[in-house]
Amino acid sequence: MAALTEEQTLLKEQAKTWARDEAPVAKFRETRDSGTETGFDKGVWTAMGEMGWPGILIPEDQGGVAMGHLTFGVVLEELGRQLTASPLLASAGIGATAILLGGNKTQQGEWLPGLADGSRIVTLAIDEAPRHAPLQTTMEAKAKGDSFVLNGSKVHVAEGLSADAFVVATRTSGQPGSEEGLSLFLVPADQEGLSRKGLITADSRGYANLDFSNVEVPQSALLGDLDQGNSILERTLDCGRAYLAAEMLGVAAQSFDMTLDYLKNRVQFGQPIGSFQALGHRASMLYTEMEMTRSCVEAALQALDDGNEKAAELCSLSKCKAGKFLHHMSNELIQMHGGIGMTDEFDAGLYLKRARALEFALGNEAFHRDRFATLRGF
Amino acid sequence: MADNKEELEAFRGEAKAWLAENFPSSLAGQASAVLRAESVDRSNPDLDVWIDRLGEKGWGTPTWPAEYGGGGLSQLQAQIVNQEMDAIGAFNPLTITAGMGITMVGPTILEYGTEDQKKRHIPKICKGRTFWSLGYSEPNAGSDLASLQCRAEDKGDHWLLNGQKTWTSGADISDWCGVLVRTDMDVAKRDGISFIMIDMKQSEIETRPIRLIAGASPFCETFFNDAKARKDDMLGDLNAGWTVGKRLLQHERQSQTGASAGGGGGTKSSLQGIAEKYVGLDSQGKLADSDLRSRLADHMMEASSHKLTIARIVAESRGNAKVSAAASILKNAASTVTQNRAELLLEIMGHQGLGWEGDDFSAEELATVRTWLSGKAISIYGGSFEVQNNIIAKNILGLPENTQRG
């Protein structure tokens, strides 16, 4: 395992400063209160595009800067600290990865440059039920002459309202639960028969439910091989999980810092409450957990950069550990702040709400414990 | 000591060759069998051969300065030696056969000792010639170590020691002991303590082994009855023992940061193997007890995150030897992981895991129960779990001290 490079450390500082000054949690609160349907501020997203962040994973010949997964994670972590809302993770992270892994030259040429500069948004439509279970995909794609006809629905699609296209996981053969028979299609959002409905959620981000009613797409919309979509899907999901874990680390780290600050400044019984062992020890244990989590998050991203054969296991480890820590940290954030933590005026609630949404995305802790055990062979 | 890639790889070649020539193959993979916590098994004469060769090369103390008998290697070179030892089942017995000499006393002497002290004590540690114990805790000074009462009086040409220590690991077999003693009764308790190194081979020192919940143990009660120490064997200044002693504890913590696989003589995969053997798999190849399966996965993840954290801290220190507050984090994580593993093993084995002795139980089962019990000490010694949390709160997080505290 390696430490962050000088370049990564500089970018981390840049992202931290930018998020704090230009896209702080107050900005997210404004977006929330304005009721913006897409769940993010257009100006914030444009600024990220100008800094080149959406192109971090994309090769230079497709308009990106090709700096790798760990670098991408470092930026996500800092944005997570301020709850900065944008399609960076869902589109420039997961959408771009699916096209990089599964797309042919034409598909890559058509979509990657727009993804790299942030002008286009592509997001993964995977879940069909409240709990993540990719192999249970039932949405049907039926061959009809030279094209495919898609019927079914996808739920809780991240950035679903703002997406220009979706990478849609479908079943072209096999039974739910089977790895065989999954196929991915790249479907433009304005395709006839595709309708979407925005959701209003606790974390105030942009999700949509999608309905596919006889959506006909040409053969050329197939991403990767027919029936063999799972290998691309699984690798895409793993990257997504590693990115989510990085964002979660940021959300948790900020929650920790806010809590520590409060412990040092809130005075009761004539002294700062952080001087009480009952709170000091909890802070120490949270800090210990945070350090362990950081190691897992960085190791998973590094493994993706290295093409390490243990990457899948490390991505599940990272998502699970980050989920476990963030869950604990977000509850302690509220508890240790006491009454003020319960008020909407204070930011703690925003972190708590975002925490659970991130935990449930692409598999909660139970999902990843199960997957980890399966990968280890028991 | 250059640490660029080519030079490190060249060094790897040298290390490999030296180990191939010098490590007795009869000891391969025998680390846990030979270096038992209760006592070192010296029945294989190759162990002494190996200690001699390793001591001569200085690689039992790889990063210590060569002028005092250490290996003079960089952290990265030392890591390579470790990796190459692992690869052939070799191990460094000195970390055990020197008692606390290598993990704690030596580094502290190198930091605080006079030139004369370094010359007299360090080479013997490097060569595996002296076994060191440590006299810190007393019956009434545990977590509140600064209230210790064992006394040293200045008798002109020597120090005269009187009092009792406890939990003195290996005192009965040690050659030397580092003792924290009170040298001034009239000042604040932390300001009247000194660190004295004393020769244990004298009749004025009595040791009594302590039997623990896991059975026989290396721990002793140690009594000083007019015991004598050389005048020039005070480490650090008079009444500066608290600083020296705390620094030594940081080295101790550092040495306790690794989680032991422990129990059932096993590696990570053996925990899995044992679970499969006792619990069985269902038709899908999953562990038959789904609740246990989930907790096992959770434990393995915690163990991985602990290992990854050690690796990250090493990587971030860029090869600099660093004894830092991070040791407290790692120590607490290590004790949690190790104790949890022992509990899981015991649970997996069920009633068979509680066998005490006799041939109704396998060696693996008998080892499991002892490891489970002795492992309870991990979160108590070297500064308890709670003391480490105090250290993290104060030194890393900068939380204020409670003004009501004594």
Side-chain angles (χ1 to χ4, degrees), chain A residues 1 4 264 271 275-277 281 284 287-288 291-292 294-296 317 321 324 368-370 372-374 376 378, chain B residues 272 286 293-294 297-298 300-302 305 309 312 315 318 329 333 386 389-390 393 397-398 400 402-404:
Chain A
M1 165 150 199
L4 293 186
K264 286 179 182 173
Q271 48 195 323
S275 69
F276 300 122
Q277 244 180 0
H281 280 195
S284 298
Y287 182 77
T288 303
E291 287 297 299
M292 303 289 141
R294 173 172 301 288
S295 312
C296 296
L317 166 65
K321 184 75 183 160
K324 193 174 168 182
H368 287 290
R369 273 194 297 270
D370 175 69
F372 182 90
T374 302
R376 283 269 174 113
F378 70 93
Chain B
Q272 191 175 323
K286 294 183 176 184
R293 177 174 180 266
S294 176
D298 189 68
M300 288 177 179
M301 291 197 200
E302 292 298 327
S305 59
T309 303
R312 180 166 65 87
R318 313 251 184 220
I329 297 168
E386 291 72 18
N389 278 334
N390 282 345
L397 304 182
N402 192 319
T403 50
Q404 290 164 351

Tab-separated table of all heavy atoms in Angstrom, chain A residues 1 4 264 271 275-277 281 284 287-288 291-292 294-296 317 321 324 368-370 372-374 376 378, chain B residues 272 286 293-294 297-298 300-302 305 309 312 315 318 329 333 386 389-390 393 397-398 400 402-404:
chain	number	residue	atom	x	y	z
A	1	MET	N	0.840	-1.201	0.000
A	1	MET	CA	0.000	0.000	0.000
A	1	MET	C	0.872	1.247	0.000
A	1	MET	O	1.888	1.324	0.656
A	1	MET	CB	-0.854	-0.056	1.269
A	1	MET	CG	-1.515	1.223	1.617
A	1	MET	SD	-3.041	0.903	2.465
A	1	MET	CE	-3.827	2.452	2.237
A	4	LEU	N	-0.369	8.726	-0.374
A	4	LEU	CA	-0.784	9.619	-1.447
A	4	LEU	C	0.453	10.257	-2.082
A	4	LEU	O	1.416	10.579	-1.394
A	4	LEU	CB	-1.688	10.734	-0.903
A	4	LEU	CG	-3.064	10.344	-0.361
A	4	LEU	CD1	-3.848	11.604	-0.009
A	4	LEU	CD2	-3.847	9.493	-1.346
A	264	LYS	N	-14.771	20.463	22.359
A	264	LYS	CA	-13.760	21.375	22.907
A	264	LYS	C	-14.366	22.707	23.342
A	264	LYS	O	-13.789	23.401	24.168
A	264	LYS	CB	-12.675	21.646	21.857
A	264	LYS	CG	-11.745	20.475	21.649
A	264	LYS	CD	-10.709	20.786	20.584
A	264	LYS	CE	-9.817	19.571	20.361
A	264	LYS	NZ	-8.902	19.765	19.230
A	271	GLN	N	-16.813	23.189	32.621
A	271	GLN	CA	-15.673	22.815	31.785
A	271	GLN	C	-16.124	22.299	30.422
A	271	GLN	O	-17.282	21.914	30.259
A	271	GLN	CB	-14.786	21.794	32.485
A	271	GLN	CG	-15.515	20.624	33.088
A	271	GLN	CD	-14.610	19.877	34.057
A	271	GLN	OE1	-13.420	19.753	33.827
A	271	GLN	NE2	-15.163	19.385	35.141
A	275	SER	N	-13.746	17.210	28.185
A	275	SER	CA	-12.867	16.790	29.276
A	275	SER	C	-13.472	15.611	30.036
A	275	SER	O	-12.789	14.976	30.837
A	275	SER	CB	-12.616	17.959	30.232
A	275	SER	OG	-13.805	18.272	30.935
A	276	PHE	N	-14.736	15.308	29.765
A	276	PHE	CA	-15.352	14.153	30.431
A	276	PHE	C	-14.958	12.871	29.710
A	276	PHE	O	-15.090	12.756	28.498
A	276	PHE	CB	-16.871	14.302	30.473
A	276	PHE	CG	-17.329	15.523	31.224
A	276	PHE	CD1	-18.111	16.491	30.623
A	276	PHE	CD2	-16.940	15.720	32.545
A	276	PHE	CE1	-18.496	17.634	31.314
A	276	PHE	CE2	-17.329	16.858	33.247
A	276	PHE	CZ	-18.105	17.813	32.631
A	277	GLN	N	-14.495	11.909	30.495
A	277	GLN	CA	-13.999	10.674	29.900
A	277	GLN	C	-15.071	9.936	29.095
A	277	GLN	O	-14.766	9.307	28.082
A	277	GLN	CB	-13.481	9.746	31.002
A	277	GLN	CG	-12.011	9.485	30.878
A	277	GLN	CD	-11.492	8.562	31.958
A	277	GLN	OE1	-12.234	8.106	32.821
A	277	GLN	NE2	-10.223	8.292	31.916
A	281	HIS	N	-13.503	9.199	25.523
A	281	HIS	CA	-13.236	7.839	25.056
A	281	HIS	C	-14.017	7.519	23.791
A	281	HIS	O	-13.512	6.848	22.894
A	281	HIS	CB	-13.565	6.822	26.152
A	281	HIS	CG	-12.460	6.718	27.161
A	281	HIS	ND1	-12.374	5.684	28.067
A	281	HIS	CD2	-11.401	7.505	27.400
A	281	HIS	CE1	-11.301	5.855	28.817
A	281	HIS	NE2	-10.697	6.960	28.431
A	284	SER	N	-12.193	9.053	21.034
A	284	SER	CA	-10.984	8.280	20.711
A	284	SER	C	-11.321	7.048	19.884
A	284	SER	O	-10.617	6.702	18.946
A	284	SER	CB	-10.272	7.837	21.990
A	284	SER	OG	-9.851	8.959	22.721
A	287	TYR	N	-12.196	8.050	16.399
A	287	TYR	CA	-10.989	8.409	15.651
A	287	TYR	C	-10.264	7.141	15.179
A	287	TYR	O	-9.801	7.052	14.049
A	287	TYR	CB	-10.059	9.258	16.523
A	287	TYR	CG	-8.828	9.695	15.802
A	287	TYR	CD1	-8.873	10.741	14.886
A	287	TYR	CD2	-7.620	9.032	15.990
A	287	TYR	CE1	-7.742	11.132	14.191
A	287	TYR	CE2	-6.484	9.412	15.290
A	287	TYR	CZ	-6.549	10.464	14.394
A	287	TYR	OH	-5.430	10.833	13.700
A	288	THR	N	-10.195	6.152	16.067
A	288	THR	CA	-9.558	4.886	15.708
A	288	THR	C	-10.279	4.246	14.526
A	288	THR	O	-9.660	3.816	13.555
A	288	THR	CB	-9.570	3.926	16.921
A	288	THR	OG1	-8.909	4.564	18.014
A	288	THR	CG2	-8.873	2.619	16.606
A	291	GLU	N	-9.463	6.065	11.280
A	291	GLU	CA	-8.166	5.735	10.709
A	291	GLU	C	-8.212	4.390	9.990
A	291	GLU	O	-7.622	4.211	8.929
A	291	GLU	CB	-7.089	5.714	11.810
A	291	GLU	CG	-6.722	7.094	12.306
A	291	GLU	CD	-6.105	7.945	11.199
A	291	GLU	OE1	-5.057	7.569	10.660
A	291	GLU	OE2	-6.710	8.984	10.860
A	292	MET	N	-8.894	3.396	10.580
A	292	MET	CA	-9.029	2.081	9.945
A	292	MET	C	-9.791	2.227	8.627
A	292	MET	O	-9.451	1.613	7.627
A	292	MET	CB	-9.811	1.121	10.842
A	292	MET	CG	-9.252	0.902	12.223
A	292	MET	SD	-7.733	-0.056	12.221
A	292	MET	CE	-6.878	0.829	13.495
A	294	ARG	N	-10.078	4.866	6.697
A	294	ARG	CA	-9.262	5.526	5.667
A	294	ARG	C	-8.331	4.518	4.984
A	294	ARG	O	-8.176	4.532	3.764
A	294	ARG	CB	-8.450	6.672	6.284
A	294	ARG	CG	-7.459	7.307	5.326
A	294	ARG	CD	-6.804	8.559	5.900
A	294	ARG	NE	-7.764	9.586	6.251
A	294	ARG	CZ	-8.439	10.331	5.371
A	294	ARG	NH1	-8.227	10.155	4.069
A	294	ARG	NH2	-9.297	11.223	5.760
A	295	SER	N	-7.757	3.621	5.762
A	295	SER	CA	-6.848	2.631	5.174
A	295	SER	C	-7.582	1.764	4.163
A	295	SER	O	-7.050	1.440	3.100
A	295	SER	CB	-6.251	1.737	6.267
A	295	SER	OG	-5.777	2.524	7.334
A	296	CYS	N	-8.809	1.363	4.483
A	296	CYS	CA	-9.584	0.503	3.585
A	296	CYS	C	-9.967	1.267	2.318
A	296	CYS	O	-9.863	0.731	1.206
A	296	CYS	CB	-10.860	0.014	4.273
A	296	CYS	SG	-10.547	-1.017	5.695
A	317	LEU	N	-14.907	-4.583	1.149
A	317	LEU	CA	-14.368	-4.218	2.468
A	317	LEU	C	-14.517	-2.719	2.697
A	317	LEU	O	-14.995	-2.271	3.748
A	317	LEU	CB	-12.892	-4.625	2.544
A	317	LEU	CG	-12.066	-4.041	3.696
A	317	LEU	CD1	-12.561	-4.549	5.035
A	317	LEU	CD2	-10.581	-4.373	3.540
A	321	LYS	N	-16.889	-1.147	5.515
A	321	LYS	CA	-16.233	-0.471	6.642
A	321	LYS	C	-16.637	1.005	6.696
A	321	LYS	O	-16.907	1.548	7.778
A	321	LYS	CB	-14.717	-0.626	6.485
A	321	LYS	CG	-13.906	-0.062	7.615
A	321	LYS	CD	-13.939	-0.912	8.860
A	321	LYS	CE	-13.153	-0.222	9.979
A	321	LYS	NZ	-13.514	-0.712	11.304
A	324	LYS	N	-20.135	1.158	8.029
A	324	LYS	CA	-20.201	0.883	9.464
A	324	LYS	C	-19.749	2.112	10.262
A	324	LYS	O	-20.394	2.510	11.236
A	324	LYS	CB	-19.276	-0.306	9.754
A	324	LYS	CG	-19.410	-0.940	11.096
A	324	LYS	CD	-18.519	-2.191	11.119
A	324	LYS	CE	-18.369	-2.730	12.513
A	324	LYS	NZ	-17.474	-3.916	12.533
A	368	HIS	N	-22.478	-6.395	1.732
A	368	HIS	CA	-21.039	-6.544	1.487
A	368	HIS	C	-20.370	-7.554	2.414
A	368	HIS	O	-19.358	-8.147	2.055
A	368	HIS	CB	-20.358	-5.174	1.498
A	368	HIS	CG	-20.690	-4.396	0.267
A	368	HIS	ND1	-20.215	-4.738	-0.969
A	368	HIS	CD2	-21.522	-3.347	0.067
A	368	HIS	CE1	-20.707	-3.915	-1.888
A	368	HIS	NE2	-21.511	-3.058	-1.278
A	369	ARG	N	-20.927	-7.763	3.589
A	369	ARG	CA	-20.413	-8.872	4.417
A	369	ARG	C	-20.668	-10.195	3.707
A	369	ARG	O	-19.805	-11.062	3.639
A	369	ARG	CB	-21.088	-8.879	5.793
A	369	ARG	CG	-20.397	-7.998	6.813
A	369	ARG	CD	-20.882	-8.305	8.224
A	369	ARG	NE	-22.297	-8.022	8.387
A	369	ARG	CZ	-22.785	-6.842	8.788
A	369	ARG	NH1	-21.961	-5.864	9.068
A	369	ARG	NH2	-24.070	-6.660	8.916
A	370	ASP	N	-21.875	-10.319	3.162
A	370	ASP	CA	-22.232	-11.539	2.445
A	370	ASP	C	-21.325	-11.722	1.226
A	370	ASP	O	-20.802	-12.806	0.981
A	370	ASP	CB	-23.700	-11.466	2.012
A	370	ASP	CG	-24.104	-12.654	1.150
A	370	ASP	OD1	-24.157	-13.764	1.712
A	370	ASP	OD2	-24.332	-12.481	-0.061
A	372	PHE	N	-18.341	-10.412	0.697
A	372	PHE	CA	-16.968	-10.643	1.152
A	372	PHE	C	-16.783	-12.119	1.499
A	372	PHE	O	-15.810	-12.750	1.101
A	372	PHE	CB	-16.685	-9.746	2.358
A	372	PHE	CG	-15.284	-9.835	2.901
A	372	PHE	CD1	-14.281	-8.994	2.426
A	372	PHE	CD2	-14.959	-10.754	3.900
A	372	PHE	CE1	-12.993	-9.070	2.934
A	372	PHE	CE2	-13.674	-10.830	4.407
A	372	PHE	CZ	-12.683	-9.979	3.923
A	373	ALA	N	-17.746	-12.666	2.249
A	373	ALA	CA	-17.652	-14.086	2.633
A	373	ALA	C	-17.675	-14.968	1.383
A	373	ALA	O	-16.899	-15.928	1.273
A	373	ALA	CB	-18.801	-14.459	3.575
A	374	THR	N	-18.529	-14.628	0.431
A	374	THR	CA	-18.598	-15.418	-0.802
A	374	THR	C	-17.273	-15.346	-1.560
A	374	THR	O	-16.763	-16.356	-2.034
A	374	THR	CB	-19.756	-14.898	-1.693
A	374	THR	OG1	-20.964	-14.981	-0.931
A	374	THR	CG2	-19.897	-15.728	-2.948
A	376	ARG	N	-14.399	-14.840	-0.318
A	376	ARG	CA	-13.400	-15.597	0.437
A	376	ARG	C	-13.689	-17.100	0.390
A	376	ARG	O	-12.924	-17.915	0.902
A	376	ARG	CB	-13.379	-15.141	1.892
A	376	ARG	CG	-12.669	-13.817	2.131
A	376	ARG	CD	-11.199	-14.033	2.430
A	376	ARG	NE	-10.479	-12.772	2.529
A	376	ARG	CZ	-9.950	-12.304	3.664
A	376	ARG	NH1	-10.073	-12.985	4.778
A	376	ARG	NH2	-9.294	-11.172	3.662
A	378	PHE	N	-16.528	-18.839	1.722
A	378	PHE	CA	-17.191	-19.561	2.811
A	378	PHE	C	-18.612	-19.083	3.026
A	378	PHE	O	-19.033	-18.092	2.480
A	378	PHE	CB	-16.389	-19.461	4.120
A	378	PHE	CG	-16.366	-18.115	4.783
A	378	PHE	CD1	-17.293	-17.782	5.775
A	378	PHE	CD2	-15.408	-17.180	4.441
A	378	PHE	CE1	-17.243	-16.539	6.405
A	378	PHE	CE2	-15.357	-15.941	5.068
A	378	PHE	CZ	-16.285	-15.623	6.053
B	272	GLN	N	-11.122	-19.734	8.942
B	272	GLN	CA	-12.138	-20.164	7.989
B	272	GLN	C	-12.202	-21.690	7.923
B	272	GLN	O	-13.287	-22.282	7.950
B	272	GLN	CB	-11.764	-19.580	6.639
B	272	GLN	CG	-12.825	-19.696	5.594
B	272	GLN	CD	-12.377	-18.955	4.320
B	272	GLN	OE1	-11.736	-17.905	4.392
B	272	GLN	NE2	-12.705	-19.507	3.178
B	286	LYS	N	-22.080	-22.125	1.496
B	286	LYS	CA	-21.945	-21.088	2.530
B	286	LYS	C	-21.890	-21.751	3.905
B	286	LYS	O	-22.494	-22.808	4.117
B	286	LYS	CB	-23.140	-20.142	2.487
B	286	LYS	CG	-23.221	-19.319	1.218
B	286	LYS	CD	-24.384	-18.362	1.273
B	286	LYS	CE	-24.396	-17.482	0.026
B	286	LYS	NZ	-25.455	-16.472	0.081
B	293	ARG	N	-21.510	-16.705	10.016
B	293	ARG	CA	-20.853	-16.354	8.761
B	293	ARG	C	-20.702	-14.840	8.639
B	293	ARG	O	-19.639	-14.331	8.277
B	293	ARG	CB	-21.682	-16.907	7.595
B	293	ARG	CG	-21.163	-16.551	6.222
B	293	ARG	CD	-21.983	-17.275	5.155
B	293	ARG	NE	-21.524	-16.966	3.827
B	293	ARG	CZ	-22.040	-15.992	3.052
B	293	ARG	NH1	-23.032	-15.264	3.512
B	293	ARG	NH2	-21.561	-15.777	1.846
B	294	SER	N	-21.757	-14.144	8.990
B	294	SER	CA	-21.733	-12.696	8.891
B	294	SER	C	-20.744	-12.095	9.888
B	294	SER	O	-19.971	-11.189	9.561
B	294	SER	CB	-23.154	-12.178	9.150
B	294	SER	OG	-23.166	-10.796	9.162
B	297	ALA	N	-17.218	-12.751	8.715
B	297	ALA	CA	-16.838	-11.815	7.646
B	297	ALA	C	-16.484	-10.466	8.254
B	297	ALA	O	-15.475	-9.843	7.892
B	297	ALA	CB	-17.967	-11.679	6.636
B	298	ASP	N	-17.287	-10.030	9.205
B	298	ASP	CA	-17.039	-8.751	9.855
B	298	ASP	C	-15.671	-8.755	10.544
B	298	ASP	O	-14.887	-7.816	10.424
B	298	ASP	CB	-18.144	-8.458	10.879
B	298	ASP	CG	-18.045	-7.050	11.418
B	298	ASP	OD1	-18.292	-6.122	10.638
B	298	ASP	OD2	-17.699	-6.884	12.602
B	300	MET	N	-13.085	-10.643	9.810
B	300	MET	CA	-11.998	-10.660	8.822
B	300	MET	C	-11.788	-9.265	8.228
B	300	MET	O	-10.663	-8.861	7.943
B	300	MET	CB	-12.327	-11.645	7.709
B	300	MET	CG	-12.216	-13.089	8.156
B	300	MET	SD	-12.711	-14.180	6.811
B	300	MET	CE	-12.464	-15.775	7.599
B	301	MET	N	-12.875	-8.537	8.063
B	301	MET	CA	-12.739	-7.178	7.544
B	301	MET	C	-12.025	-6.287	8.555
B	301	MET	O	-11.176	-5.472	8.180
B	301	MET	CB	-14.111	-6.591	7.225
B	301	MET	CG	-14.779	-7.254	6.038
B	301	MET	SD	-16.122	-6.184	5.465
B	301	MET	CE	-17.085	-7.338	4.547
B	302	GLU	N	-12.370	-6.438	9.818
B	302	GLU	CA	-11.693	-5.636	10.844
B	302	GLU	C	-10.207	-5.976	10.876
B	302	GLU	O	-9.350	-5.101	11.012
B	302	GLU	CB	-12.321	-5.870	12.222
B	302	GLU	CG	-13.737	-5.321	12.362
B	302	GLU	CD	-13.819	-3.806	12.187
B	302	GLU	OE1	-12.868	-3.107	12.570
B	302	GLU	OE2	-14.832	-3.334	11.642
B	305	SER	N	-8.595	-4.361	7.938
B	305	SER	CA	-8.442	-2.913	8.034
B	305	SER	C	-7.322	-2.558	9.011
B	305	SER	O	-6.618	-1.569	8.817
B	305	SER	CB	-9.760	-2.226	8.407
B	305	SER	OG	-10.249	-2.699	9.620
B	309	THR	N	-3.993	-0.562	7.899
B	309	THR	CA	-3.624	0.663	8.609
B	309	THR	C	-2.153	0.643	8.993
B	309	THR	O	-1.457	1.655	8.869
B	309	THR	CB	-4.528	0.860	9.840
B	309	THR	OG1	-5.879	0.875	9.399
B	309	THR	CG2	-4.209	2.163	10.555
B	312	ARG	N	-0.390	1.436	5.868
B	312	ARG	CA	-0.522	2.843	5.483
B	312	ARG	C	0.383	3.738	6.327
B	312	ARG	O	1.045	4.645	5.817
B	312	ARG	CB	-1.980	3.297	5.638
B	312	ARG	CG	-2.210	4.746	5.247
B	312	ARG	CD	-3.684	5.060	5.089
B	312	ARG	NE	-4.437	4.963	6.321
B	312	ARG	CZ	-4.564	5.968	7.202
B	312	ARG	NH1	-3.965	7.121	6.982
B	312	ARG	NH2	-5.268	5.812	8.295
B	315	ALA	N	3.820	3.374	5.126
B	315	ALA	CA	3.998	4.057	3.839
B	315	ALA	C	4.052	5.573	4.032
B	315	ALA	O	4.870	6.259	3.428
B	315	ALA	CB	2.871	3.687	2.879
B	318	ARG	N	7.175	7.225	5.179
B	318	ARG	CA	8.216	7.234	4.145
B	318	ARG	C	9.526	6.647	4.657
B	318	ARG	O	10.595	7.209	4.445
B	318	ARG	CB	8.476	8.645	3.645
B	318	ARG	CG	7.215	9.405	3.322
B	318	ARG	CD	7.046	9.610	1.848
B	318	ARG	NE	5.872	10.421	1.580
B	318	ARG	CZ	5.028	10.206	0.595
B	318	ARG	NH1	5.218	9.210	-0.237
B	318	ARG	NH2	3.982	10.969	0.411
B	329	ILE	N	-3.682	3.884	18.678
B	329	ILE	CA	-4.795	3.453	17.829
B	329	ILE	C	-4.594	2.002	17.436
B	329	ILE	O	-5.486	1.170	17.538
B	329	ILE	CB	-4.828	4.295	16.541
B	329	ILE	CG1	-5.084	5.738	16.858
B	329	ILE	CG2	-5.830	3.751	15.558
B	329	ILE	CD1	-4.835	6.633	15.675
B	333	ALA	N	-6.810	-1.321	18.318
B	333	ALA	CA	-7.410	-2.096	17.229
B	333	ALA	C	-6.907	-3.538	17.287
B	333	ALA	O	-7.677	-4.487	17.121
B	333	ALA	CB	-7.070	-1.465	15.881
B	386	GLU	N	-8.440	1.573	28.024
B	386	GLU	CA	-8.935	2.875	28.493
B	386	GLU	C	-7.809	3.901	28.581
B	386	GLU	O	-8.006	5.072	28.236
B	386	GLU	CB	-9.621	2.707	29.864
B	386	GLU	CG	-10.940	1.942	29.823
B	386	GLU	CD	-10.796	0.439	29.578
B	386	GLU	OE1	-9.682	-0.108	29.779
B	386	GLU	OE2	-11.785	-0.197	29.174
B	389	ASN	N	-7.116	5.122	25.181
B	389	ASN	CA	-8.129	6.096	24.770
B	389	ASN	C	-7.881	7.460	25.405
B	389	ASN	O	-8.130	8.492	24.785
B	389	ASN	CB	-9.541	5.585	25.103
B	389	ASN	CG	-10.049	4.629	24.040
B	389	ASN	OD1	-9.630	4.699	22.880
B	389	ASN	ND2	-10.947	3.735	24.415
B	390	ASN	N	-7.375	7.464	26.642
B	390	ASN	CA	-6.992	8.743	27.261
B	390	ASN	C	-5.877	9.405	26.461
B	390	ASN	O	-5.875	10.616	26.245
B	390	ASN	CB	-6.498	8.531	28.695
B	390	ASN	CG	-7.641	8.324	29.677
B	390	ASN	OD1	-8.791	8.609	29.370
B	390	ASN	ND2	-7.308	7.813	30.854
B	393	ALA	N	-7.205	10.761	23.210
B	393	ALA	CA	-8.022	11.960	23.460
B	393	ALA	C	-7.131	13.182	23.723
B	393	ALA	O	-7.371	14.258	23.199
B	393	ALA	CB	-8.954	11.723	24.643
B	397	LEU	N	-6.223	14.116	19.734
B	397	LEU	CA	-7.416	14.943	19.527
B	397	LEU	C	-7.329	16.287	20.239
B	397	LEU	O	-8.100	17.193	19.951
B	397	LEU	CB	-8.663	14.178	19.992
B	397	LEU	CG	-8.870	12.806	19.343
B	397	LEU	CD1	-10.157	12.154	19.842
B	397	LEU	CD2	-8.905	12.924	17.827
B	398	GLY	N	-6.410	16.396	21.176
B	398	GLY	CA	-6.246	17.670	21.880
B	398	GLY	C	-7.411	18.025	22.780
B	398	GLY	O	-7.698	19.204	23.008
B	400	PRO	N	-9.317	18.657	26.218
B	400	PRO	CA	-8.804	19.167	27.498
B	400	PRO	C	-8.887	18.114	28.597
B	400	PRO	O	-9.720	17.209	28.541
B	400	PRO	CB	-9.738	20.341	27.812
B	400	PRO	CG	-10.985	20.071	27.042
B	400	PRO	CD	-10.594	19.291	25.838
B	402	ASN	N	-9.751	16.843	32.317
B	402	ASN	CA	-10.799	17.147	33.286
B	402	ASN	C	-10.165	17.786	34.516
B	402	ASN	O	-9.263	17.223	35.126
B	402	ASN	CB	-11.513	15.845	33.677
B	402	ASN	CG	-12.785	16.113	34.435
B	402	ASN	OD1	-12.825	16.999	35.282
B	402	ASN	ND2	-13.823	15.375	34.118
B	403	THR	N	-10.646	18.972	34.858
B	403	THR	CA	-10.039	19.673	35.996
B	403	THR	C	-10.400	19.013	37.315
B	403	THR	O	-9.802	19.303	38.338
B	403	THR	CB	-10.509	21.144	36.027
B	403	THR	OG1	-11.932	21.154	35.918
B	403	THR	CG2	-9.907	21.922	34.880
B	404	GLN	N	-11.386	18.127	37.281
B	404	GLN	CA	-11.754	17.429	38.520
B	404	GLN	C	-10.890	16.198	38.753
B	404	GLN	O	-10.993	15.538	39.758
B	404	GLN	CB	-13.227	17.000	38.453
B	404	GLN	CG	-14.171	18.183	38.534
B	404	GLN	CD	-15.573	17.838	38.099
B	404	GLN	OE1	-15.820	16.756	37.570
B	404	GLN	NE2	-16.490	18.749	38.315
